[in-house]
Amino acid sequence: MSETPRLPATVEVSALVRQVNAQGGFAAVIAKGEADAGTILLLLCENGQDQRVYERMPMADGTRGWHCAKRLDPEDPQPFHDWLERRRQQDRDLWIVELDIPAAERFIGLSV
């Protein structure tokens, strides 16, 4: 099975930011990673609420797909923020991109 060529991270991030902004949402790069091969974490929310982080992971069929890695617990938000900070400290090539728009998963091909 051959691997599908990967878009440079900077191109993928720029496209996501433009798409979300064009649809009336807010998108911003929180942490800028390695331009070509950096890992991308997406912080999705709606009006700052229901924060969740998606990242692309290897799937059983050899492809890579988005999955929800972490959700903010509104009763105890600190572990969520600590987790994001640890991820950033562990991987300096990591991109963290916030997409604040209803049903943000649609921008990465997931239904809500």
Side-chain angles (χ1 to χ4, degrees):
M1 180 179 297
S2 65
E3 193 172 308
T4 304
R6 185 175 161 184
L7 281 176
T10 189
V11 172
E12 187 172 2
V13 167
S14 292
L16 281 167
V17 168
R18 281 194 312 274
Q19 287 175 333
V20 169
N21 288 333
Q23 293 292 316
F26 171 80
V29 175
I30 306 297
K32 188 174 182 180
E34 203 279 319
D36 289 325
T39 299
I40 300 170
L41 290 184
L42 297 176
L43 174 57
L44 307 183
C45 59
E46 183 176 350
N47 295 322
Q49 302 299 309
D50 189 25
Q51 293 182 2
R52 61 239 181 246
V53 175
Y54 277 80
E55 68 180 306
R56 205 177 282 125
M57 299 296 288
M59 308 294 274
D61 65 1
T63 62
R64 294 173 55 81
W66 292 98
H67 87 281
C68 186
K70 191 79 172 163
R71 282 189 176 272
L72 181 131
D73 176 356
E75 300 293 320
D76 187 14
Q78 196 58 49
F80 180 84
H81 298 296
D82 292 345
W83 182 85
L84 273 176
E85 183 58 30
R86 274 193 313 276
R87 287 296 307 270
R88 183 68 180 139
Q89 294 300 319
Q90 292 168 350
D91 183 359
R92 291 297 183 175
D93 293 335
L94 182 70
W95 291 79
I96 301 175
V97 182
E98 180 178 345
L99 307 180
D100 191 337
I101 190 168
E105 284 84 354
R106 64 192 155 121
F107 292 93
I108 55 173
L110 301 175
S111 47
V112 182

